[in-house]
PDB file of all heavy atoms in Angstrom:
ATOM      1  N   GLY A  96       0.793  -1.220   0.000  1.00 95.00           N
ATOM      2  CA  GLY A  96       0.000   0.000   0.000  1.00 95.00           C
ATOM      3  C   GLY A  96       0.826   1.272   0.000  1.00 95.00           C
ATOM      4  O   GLY A  96       0.374   2.306  -0.484  1.00 95.00           O
ATOM      5  N   ASP A  97       2.058   1.206   0.552  1.00 97.00           N
ATOM      6  CA  ASP A  97       2.897   2.393   0.673  1.00 97.00           C
ATOM      7  C   ASP A  97       4.332   2.004   0.324  1.00 97.00           C
ATOM      8  O   ASP A  97       4.993   1.285   1.075  1.00 97.00           O
ATOM      9  CB  ASP A  97       2.823   2.932   2.109  1.00 97.00           C
ATOM     10  CG  ASP A  97       3.617   4.218   2.311  1.00 97.00           C
ATOM     11  OD1 ASP A  97       4.318   4.653   1.367  1.00 97.00           O
ATOM     12  OD2 ASP A  97       3.542   4.785   3.427  1.00 97.00           O
ATOM     13  N   LEU A  98       4.824   2.479  -0.819  1.00 97.00           N
ATOM     14  CA  LEU A  98       6.191   2.159  -1.239  1.00 97.00           C
ATOM     15  C   LEU A  98       7.235   2.910  -0.426  1.00 97.00           C
ATOM     16  O   LEU A  98       8.426   2.576  -0.503  1.00 97.00           O
ATOM     17  CB  LEU A  98       6.384   2.471  -2.728  1.00 97.00           C
ATOM     18  CG  LEU A  98       5.577   1.627  -3.715  1.00 97.00           C
ATOM     19  CD1 LEU A  98       5.882   2.061  -5.153  1.00 97.00           C
ATOM     20  CD2 LEU A  98       5.879   0.142  -3.546  1.00 97.00           C
ATOM     21  N   ALA A  99       6.815   3.902   0.321  1.00 97.00           N
ATOM     22  CA  ALA A  99       7.706   4.651   1.213  1.00 97.00           C
ATOM     23  C   ALA A  99       8.935   5.202   0.486  1.00 97.00           C
ATOM     24  O   ALA A  99      10.011   5.322   1.068  1.00 97.00           O
ATOM     25  CB  ALA A  99       8.149   3.761   2.384  1.00 97.00           C
ATOM     26  N   GLY A 100       8.771   5.537  -0.773  1.00 97.00           N
ATOM     27  CA  GLY A 100       9.858   6.125  -1.542  1.00 97.00           C
ATOM     28  C   GLY A 100      10.798   5.131  -2.185  1.00 97.00           C
ATOM     29  O   GLY A 100      11.722   5.529  -2.908  1.00 97.00           O
ATOM     30  N   PHE A 101      10.584   3.831  -1.974  1.00 97.00           N
ATOM     31  CA  PHE A 101      11.421   2.827  -2.624  1.00 97.00           C
ATOM     32  C   PHE A 101      10.932   2.586  -4.052  1.00 97.00           C
ATOM     33  O   PHE A 101       9.755   2.776  -4.365  1.00 97.00           O
ATOM     34  CB  PHE A 101      11.412   1.519  -1.830  1.00 97.00           C
ATOM     35  CG  PHE A 101      12.123   1.612  -0.517  1.00 97.00           C
ATOM     36  CD1 PHE A 101      11.410   1.775   0.667  1.00 97.00           C
ATOM     37  CD2 PHE A 101      13.510   1.544  -0.457  1.00 97.00           C
ATOM     38  CE1 PHE A 101      12.064   1.874   1.879  1.00 97.00           C
ATOM     39  CE2 PHE A 101      14.175   1.646   0.760  1.00 97.00           C
ATOM     40  CZ  PHE A 101      13.454   1.807   1.928  1.00 97.00           C
ATOM     41  N   ARG A 102      11.859   2.167  -4.906  1.00 96.00           N
ATOM     42  CA  ARG A 102      11.567   1.995  -6.332  1.00 96.00           C
ATOM     43  C   ARG A 102      11.481   0.517  -6.701  1.00 96.00           C
ATOM     44  O   ARG A 102      12.397  -0.245  -6.434  1.00 96.00           O
ATOM     45  CB  ARG A 102      12.665   2.669  -7.162  1.00 96.00           C
ATOM     46  CG  ARG A 102      12.503   2.520  -8.673  1.00 96.00           C
ATOM     47  CD  ARG A 102      13.526   3.370  -9.407  1.00 96.00           C
ATOM     48  NE  ARG A 102      14.902   2.920  -9.187  1.00 96.00           N
ATOM     49  CZ  ARG A 102      15.507   1.953  -9.884  1.00 96.00           C
ATOM     50  NH1 ARG A 102      14.845   1.310 -10.841  1.00 96.00           N
ATOM     51  NH2 ARG A 102      16.760   1.617  -9.632  1.00 96.00           N
ATOM     52  N   PRO A 103      10.373   0.084  -7.332  1.00 96.00           N
ATOM     53  CA  PRO A 103      10.278  -1.304  -7.781  1.00 96.00           C
ATOM     54  C   PRO A 103      11.348  -1.618  -8.831  1.00 96.00           C
ATOM     55  O   PRO A 103      11.603  -0.807  -9.732  1.00 96.00           O
ATOM     56  CB  PRO A 103       8.875  -1.391  -8.387  1.00 96.00           C
ATOM     57  CG  PRO A 103       8.113  -0.270  -7.757  1.00 96.00           C
ATOM     58  CD  PRO A 103       9.116   0.829  -7.568  1.00 96.00           C
ATOM     59  N   ILE A 104      11.957  -2.804  -8.713  1.00 91.00           N
ATOM     60  CA  ILE A 104      12.939  -3.258  -9.696  1.00 91.00           C
ATOM     61  C   ILE A 104      12.368  -4.388 -10.546  1.00 91.00           C
ATOM     62  O   ILE A 104      12.401  -4.347 -11.764  1.00 91.00           O
ATOM     63  CB  ILE A 104      14.228  -3.796  -9.018  1.00 91.00           C
ATOM     64  CG1 ILE A 104      14.850  -2.775  -8.105  1.00 91.00           C
ATOM     65  CG2 ILE A 104      15.229  -4.237 -10.085  1.00 91.00           C
ATOM     66  CD1 ILE A 104      16.011  -3.333  -7.299  1.00 91.00           C
ATOM     67  N   ARG A 105      11.821  -5.410  -9.858  1.00 87.00           N
ATOM     68  CA  ARG A 105      11.427  -6.600 -10.594  1.00 87.00           C
ATOM     69  C   ARG A 105      10.478  -7.451  -9.768  1.00 87.00           C
ATOM     70  O   ARG A 105      10.530  -7.458  -8.545  1.00 87.00           O
ATOM     71  CB  ARG A 105      12.661  -7.434 -10.959  1.00 87.00           C
ATOM     72  CG  ARG A 105      12.392  -8.551 -11.957  1.00 87.00           C
ATOM     73  CD  ARG A 105      13.702  -9.154 -12.456  1.00 87.00           C
ATOM     74  NE  ARG A 105      13.453 -10.138 -13.489  1.00 87.00           N
ATOM     75  CZ  ARG A 105      13.365  -9.860 -14.782  1.00 87.00           C
ATOM     76  NH1 ARG A 105      13.515  -8.622 -15.183  1.00 87.00           N
ATOM     77  NH2 ARG A 105      13.125 -10.811 -15.671  1.00 87.00           N
ATOM     78  N   ALA A 106       9.590  -8.176 -10.469  1.00 86.00           N
ATOM     79  CA  ALA A 106       8.790  -9.236  -9.866  1.00 86.00           C
ATOM     80  C   ALA A 106       9.342 -10.565 -10.383  1.00 86.00           C
ATOM     81  O   ALA A 106       9.662 -10.689 -11.563  1.00 86.00           O
ATOM     82  CB  ALA A 106       7.321  -9.090 -10.247  1.00 86.00           C
ATOM     83  N   ILE A 107       9.491 -11.541  -9.513  1.00 79.00           N
ATOM     84  CA  ILE A 107      10.110 -12.819  -9.868  1.00 79.00           C
ATOM     85  C   ILE A 107       9.158 -13.961  -9.532  1.00 79.00           C
ATOM     86  O   ILE A 107       8.634 -14.044  -8.422  1.00 79.00           O
ATOM     87  CB  ILE A 107      11.441 -13.033  -9.117  1.00 79.00           C
ATOM     88  CG1 ILE A 107      12.440 -11.929  -9.475  1.00 79.00           C
ATOM     89  CG2 ILE A 107      12.039 -14.398  -9.419  1.00 79.00           C
ATOM     90  CD1 ILE A 107      13.736 -12.002  -8.701  1.00 79.00           C
ATOM     91  N   ALA A 108       8.959 -14.836 -10.511  1.00 70.00           N
ATOM     92  CA  ALA A 108       8.228 -16.091 -10.315  1.00 70.00           C
ATOM     93  C   ALA A 108       6.809 -15.902  -9.793  1.00 70.00           C
ATOM     94  O   ALA A 108       6.234 -16.808  -9.203  1.00 70.00           O
ATOM     95  CB  ALA A 108       9.005 -17.018  -9.370  1.00 70.00           C
ATOM     96  N   GLY A 109       6.224 -14.731 -10.012  1.00 76.00           N
ATOM     97  CA  GLY A 109       4.853 -14.501  -9.594  1.00 76.00           C
ATOM     98  C   GLY A 109       4.654 -14.466  -8.099  1.00 76.00           C
ATOM     99  O   GLY A 109       3.516 -14.483  -7.614  1.00 76.00           O
ATOM    100  N   ALA A 110       5.763 -14.404  -7.311  1.00 82.00           N
ATOM    101  CA  ALA A 110       5.620 -14.462  -5.869  1.00 82.00           C
ATOM    102  C   ALA A 110       6.620 -13.600  -5.115  1.00 82.00           C
ATOM    103  O   ALA A 110       6.514 -13.480  -3.902  1.00 82.00           O
ATOM    104  CB  ALA A 110       5.752 -15.911  -5.393  1.00 82.00           C
ATOM    105  N   THR A 111       7.596 -13.017  -5.808  1.00 88.00           N
ATOM    106  CA  THR A 111       8.654 -12.255  -5.151  1.00 88.00           C
ATOM    107  C   THR A 111       8.792 -10.887  -5.819  1.00 88.00           C
ATOM    108  O   THR A 111       8.678 -10.768  -7.026  1.00 88.00           O
ATOM    109  CB  THR A 111       9.994 -13.016  -5.227  1.00 88.00           C
ATOM    110  OG1 THR A 111       9.833 -14.301  -4.610  1.00 88.00           O
ATOM    111  CG2 THR A 111      11.097 -12.261  -4.511  1.00 88.00           C
ATOM    112  N   TYR A 112       9.064  -9.885  -5.003  1.00 92.00           N
ATOM    113  CA  TYR A 112       9.074  -8.489  -5.448  1.00 92.00           C
ATOM    114  C   TYR A 112      10.347  -7.845  -4.913  1.00 92.00           C
ATOM    115  O   TYR A 112      10.653  -7.944  -3.726  1.00 92.00           O
ATOM    116  CB  TYR A 112       7.821  -7.834  -4.863  1.00 92.00           C
ATOM    117  CG  TYR A 112       7.463  -6.438  -5.287  1.00 92.00           C
ATOM    118  CD1 TYR A 112       8.020  -5.810  -6.404  1.00 92.00           C
ATOM    119  CD2 TYR A 112       6.514  -5.722  -4.549  1.00 92.00           C
ATOM    120  CE1 TYR A 112       7.643  -4.524  -6.755  1.00 92.00           C
ATOM    121  CE2 TYR A 112       6.123  -4.437  -4.901  1.00 92.00           C
ATOM    122  CZ  TYR A 112       6.692  -3.840  -6.001  1.00 92.00           C
ATOM    123  OH  TYR A 112       6.321  -2.572  -6.353  1.00 92.00           O
ATOM    124  N   LEU A 113      11.117  -7.198  -5.795  1.00 93.00           N
ATOM    125  CA  LEU A 113      12.349  -6.526  -5.400  1.00 93.00           C
ATOM    126  C   LEU A 113      12.196  -5.019  -5.555  1.00 93.00           C
ATOM    127  O   LEU A 113      11.655  -4.542  -6.547  1.00 93.00           O
ATOM    128  CB  LEU A 113      13.523  -6.997  -6.265  1.00 93.00           C
ATOM    129  CG  LEU A 113      13.860  -8.489  -6.288  1.00 93.00           C
ATOM    130  CD1 LEU A 113      15.099  -8.728  -7.154  1.00 93.00           C
ATOM    131  CD2 LEU A 113      14.075  -9.024  -4.898  1.00 93.00           C
ATOM    132  N   LEU A 114      12.710  -4.271  -4.572  1.00 95.00           N
ATOM    133  CA  LEU A 114      12.699  -2.811  -4.615  1.00 95.00           C
ATOM    134  C   LEU A 114      14.047  -2.288  -4.132  1.00 95.00           C
ATOM    135  O   LEU A 114      14.805  -2.992  -3.460  1.00 95.00           O
ATOM    136  CB  LEU A 114      11.596  -2.248  -3.729  1.00 95.00           C
ATOM    137  CG  LEU A 114      10.159  -2.708  -3.982  1.00 95.00           C
ATOM    138  CD1 LEU A 114       9.792  -3.854  -3.050  1.00 95.00           C
ATOM    139  CD2 LEU A 114       9.167  -1.573  -3.796  1.00 95.00           C
ATOM    140  N   THR A 115      14.338  -1.039  -4.465  1.00 95.00           N
ATOM    141  CA  THR A 115      15.573  -0.413  -4.024  1.00 95.00           C
ATOM    142  C   THR A 115      15.350   1.092  -3.886  1.00 95.00           C
ATOM    143  O   THR A 115      14.251   1.595  -4.088  1.00 95.00           O
ATOM    144  CB  THR A 115      16.726  -0.717  -5.007  1.00 95.00           C
ATOM    145  OG1 THR A 115      17.962  -0.293  -4.435  1.00 95.00           O
ATOM    146  CG2 THR A 115      16.520  -0.017  -6.348  1.00 95.00           C
ATOM    147  N   ASP A 116      16.429   1.795  -3.582  1.00 95.00           N
ATOM    148  CA  ASP A 116      16.423   3.257  -3.582  1.00 95.00           C
ATOM    149  C   ASP A 116      17.754   3.676  -4.189  1.00 95.00           C
ATOM    150  O   ASP A 116      18.800   3.538  -3.549  1.00 95.00           O
ATOM    151  CB  ASP A 116      16.281   3.801  -2.162  1.00 95.00           C
ATOM    152  CG  ASP A 116      16.142   5.317  -2.136  1.00 95.00           C
ATOM    153  OD1 ASP A 116      16.529   5.969  -3.132  1.00 95.00           O
ATOM    154  OD2 ASP A 116      15.669   5.849  -1.118  1.00 95.00           O
ATOM    155  N   GLY A 117      17.710   4.155  -5.428  1.00 91.00           N
ATOM    156  CA  GLY A 117      18.926   4.514  -6.137  1.00 91.00           C
ATOM    157  C   GLY A 117      18.821   4.153  -7.601  1.00 91.00           C
ATOM    158  O   GLY A 117      17.854   3.524  -8.032  1.00 91.00           O
ATOM    159  N   PRO A 118      19.812   4.525  -8.401  1.00 91.00           N
ATOM    160  CA  PRO A 118      19.713   4.373  -9.851  1.00 91.00           C
ATOM    161  C   PRO A 118      19.980   2.965 -10.372  1.00 91.00           C
ATOM    162  O   PRO A 118      19.568   2.637 -11.479  1.00 91.00           O
ATOM    163  CB  PRO A 118      20.782   5.341 -10.376  1.00 91.00           C
ATOM    164  CG  PRO A 118      21.807   5.381  -9.276  1.00 91.00           C
ATOM    165  CD  PRO A 118      21.017   5.290  -8.006  1.00 91.00           C
ATOM    166  N   GLN A 119      20.674   2.133  -9.594  1.00 85.00           N
ATOM    167  CA  GLN A 119      21.054   0.810 -10.098  1.00 85.00           C
ATOM    168  C   GLN A 119      19.892  -0.176  -9.983  1.00 85.00           C
ATOM    169  O   GLN A 119      19.254  -0.279  -8.931  1.00 85.00           O
ATOM    170  CB  GLN A 119      22.257   0.267  -9.330  1.00 85.00           C
ATOM    171  CG  GLN A 119      23.520   1.094  -9.437  1.00 85.00           C
ATOM    172  CD  GLN A 119      24.648   0.501  -8.619  1.00 85.00           C
ATOM    173  OE1 GLN A 119      24.734  -0.699  -8.402  1.00 85.00           O
ATOM    174  NE2 GLN A 119      25.545   1.356  -8.144  1.00 85.00           N
ATOM    175  N   ASP A 120      19.642  -0.916 -11.079  1.00 82.00           N
ATOM    176  CA  ASP A 120      18.620  -1.957 -11.028  1.00 82.00           C
ATOM    177  C   ASP A 120      19.157  -3.251 -10.433  1.00 82.00           C
ATOM    178  O   ASP A 120      18.384  -4.083  -9.944  1.00 82.00           O
ATOM    179  CB  ASP A 120      18.069  -2.242 -12.437  1.00 82.00           C
ATOM    180  CG  ASP A 120      17.133  -1.149 -12.915  1.00 82.00           C
ATOM    181  OD1 ASP A 120      16.697  -0.331 -12.070  1.00 82.00           O
ATOM    182  OD2 ASP A 120      16.846  -1.096 -14.123  1.00 82.00           O
ATOM    183  N   VAL A 121      20.463  -3.454 -10.494  1.00 72.00           N
ATOM    184  CA  VAL A 121      21.109  -4.604  -9.859  1.00 72.00           C
ATOM    185  C   VAL A 121      22.198  -4.052  -8.949  1.00 72.00           C
ATOM    186  O   VAL A 121      23.369  -3.980  -9.339  1.00 72.00           O
ATOM    187  CB  VAL A 121      21.695  -5.580 -10.893  1.00 72.00           C
ATOM    188  CG1 VAL A 121      22.286  -6.805 -10.191  1.00 72.00           C
ATOM    189  CG2 VAL A 121      20.627  -6.015 -11.890  1.00 72.00           C
ATOM    190  N   PRO A 122      21.846  -3.621  -7.758  1.00 70.00           N
ATOM    191  CA  PRO A 122      22.828  -3.001  -6.869  1.00 70.00           C
ATOM    192  C   PRO A 122      23.994  -3.934  -6.577  1.00 70.00           C
ATOM    193  O   PRO A 122      23.810  -5.125  -6.357  1.00 70.00           O
ATOM    194  CB  PRO A 122      22.019  -2.714  -5.596  1.00 70.00           C
ATOM    195  CG  PRO A 122      20.606  -2.644  -6.061  1.00 70.00           C
ATOM    196  CD  PRO A 122      20.505  -3.631  -7.178  1.00 70.00           C
ATOM    197  N   ALA A 123      25.202  -3.395  -6.582  1.00 68.00           N
ATOM    198  CA  ALA A 123      26.398  -4.197  -6.347  1.00 68.00           C
ATOM    199  C   ALA A 123      27.100  -3.733  -5.083  1.00 68.00           C
ATOM    200  O   ALA A 123      27.145  -2.535  -4.779  1.00 68.00           O
ATOM    201  CB  ALA A 123      27.338  -4.087  -7.543  1.00 68.00           C
ATOM    202  N   SER A 124      27.646  -4.713  -4.353  1.00 64.00           N
ATOM    203  CA  SER A 124      28.470  -4.424  -3.172  1.00 64.00           C
ATOM    204  C   SER A 124      27.777  -3.492  -2.182  1.00 64.00           C
ATOM    205  O   SER A 124      28.371  -2.545  -1.668  1.00 64.00           O
ATOM    206  CB  SER A 124      29.812  -3.827  -3.607  1.00 64.00           C
ATOM    207  OG  SER A 124      30.500  -4.704  -4.463  1.00 64.00           O
ATOM    208  N   ALA A 125      26.505  -3.764  -1.919  1.00 74.00           N
ATOM    209  CA  ALA A 125      25.724  -3.003  -0.936  1.00 74.00           C
ATOM    210  C   ALA A 125      25.668  -1.515  -1.251  1.00 74.00           C
ATOM    211  O   ALA A 125      25.527  -0.680  -0.357  1.00 74.00           O
ATOM    212  CB  ALA A 125      26.277  -3.227   0.478  1.00 74.00           C
ATOM    213  N   ALA A 126      25.786  -1.164  -2.532  1.00 82.00           N
ATOM    214  CA  ALA A 126      25.763   0.239  -2.924  1.00 82.00           C
ATOM    215  C   ALA A 126      24.410   0.878  -2.670  1.00 82.00           C
ATOM    216  O   ALA A 126      24.316   2.089  -2.462  1.00 82.00           O
ATOM    217  CB  ALA A 126      26.133   0.374  -4.396  1.00 82.00           C
ATOM    218  N   GLN A 127      23.340   0.092  -2.700  1.00 91.00           N
ATOM    219  CA  GLN A 127      21.988   0.585  -2.471  1.00 91.00           C
ATOM    220  C   GLN A 127      21.248  -0.394  -1.572  1.00 91.00           C
ATOM    221  O   GLN A 127      21.575  -1.585  -1.541  1.00 91.00           O
ATOM    222  CB  GLN A 127      21.222   0.711  -3.801  1.00 91.00           C
ATOM    223  CG  GLN A 127      21.778   1.739  -4.747  1.00 91.00           C
ATOM    224  CD  GLN A 127      21.100   1.720  -6.119  1.00 91.00           C
ATOM    225  OE1 GLN A 127      21.548   2.377  -7.035  1.00 91.00           O
ATOM    226  NE2 GLN A 127      20.024   0.953  -6.261  1.00 91.00           N
ATOM    227  N   PRO A 128      20.225   0.082  -0.867  1.00 94.00           N
ATOM    228  CA  PRO A 128      19.391  -0.844  -0.093  1.00 94.00           C
ATOM    229  C   PRO A 128      18.602  -1.747  -1.032  1.00 94.00           C
ATOM    230  O   PRO A 128      18.258  -1.351  -2.156  1.00 94.00           O
ATOM    231  CB  PRO A 128      18.449   0.093   0.672  1.00 94.00           C
ATOM    232  CG  PRO A 128      18.370   1.311  -0.181  1.00 94.00           C
ATOM    233  CD  PRO A 128      19.745   1.465  -0.791  1.00 94.00           C
ATOM    234  N   VAL A 129      18.336  -2.953  -0.589  1.00 93.00           N
ATOM    235  CA  VAL A 129      17.488  -3.873  -1.338  1.00 93.00           C
ATOM    236  C   VAL A 129      16.380  -4.362  -0.424  1.00 93.00           C
ATOM    237  O   VAL A 129      16.630  -4.737   0.725  1.00 93.00           O
ATOM    238  CB  VAL A 129      18.292  -5.075  -1.874  1.00 93.00           C
ATOM    239  CG1 VAL A 129      17.357  -6.152  -2.410  1.00 93.00           C
ATOM    240  CG2 VAL A 129      19.240  -4.631  -2.974  1.00 93.00           C
ATOM    241  N   ILE A 130      15.153  -4.324  -0.926  1.00 95.00           N
ATOM    242  CA  ILE A 130      14.012  -4.904  -0.227  1.00 95.00           C
ATOM    243  C   ILE A 130      13.519  -6.093  -1.037  1.00 95.00           C
ATOM    244  O   ILE A 130      13.310  -5.992  -2.256  1.00 95.00           O
ATOM    245  CB  ILE A 130      12.878  -3.880  -0.043  1.00 95.00           C
ATOM    246  CG1 ILE A 130      13.308  -2.786   0.924  1.00 95.00           C
ATOM    247  CG2 ILE A 130      11.601  -4.562   0.466  1.00 95.00           C
ATOM    248  CD1 ILE A 130      12.292  -1.686   1.099  1.00 95.00           C
ATOM    249  N   ILE A 131      13.362  -7.221  -0.369  1.00 94.00           N
ATOM    250  CA  ILE A 131      12.856  -8.444  -0.987  1.00 94.00           C
ATOM    251  C   ILE A 131      11.546  -8.787  -0.296  1.00 94.00           C
ATOM    252  O   ILE A 131      11.515  -8.935   0.927  1.00 94.00           O
ATOM    253  CB  ILE A 131      13.854  -9.609  -0.826  1.00 94.00           C
ATOM    254  CG1 ILE A 131      15.225  -9.234  -1.380  1.00 94.00           C
ATOM    255  CG2 ILE A 131      13.316 -10.873  -1.509  1.00 94.00           C
ATOM    256  CD1 ILE A 131      16.342 -10.134  -0.905  1.00 94.00           C
TER     257      ILE A 131
END
């Protein structure tokens, strides 16, 4: 209901949702937060 400013990256297998905050779609080396 509330993305709280995080950006959707991808939906996987119809059951998993990835979000981040930052320009990278595949964040590397903890450069951005990841929400699973």
Side-chain angles (χ1 to χ4, degrees):
D97 183 355
L98 294 180
F101 291 100
R102 178 172 66 85
I104 304 173
R105 191 169 185 88
I107 299 176
T111 302
Y112 188 15
L113 302 183
L114 304 96
T115 190
D116 185 340
Q119 298 179 29
D120 285 345
V121 183
S124 302
Q127 295 173 189
V129 169
I130 292 176
I131 305 163

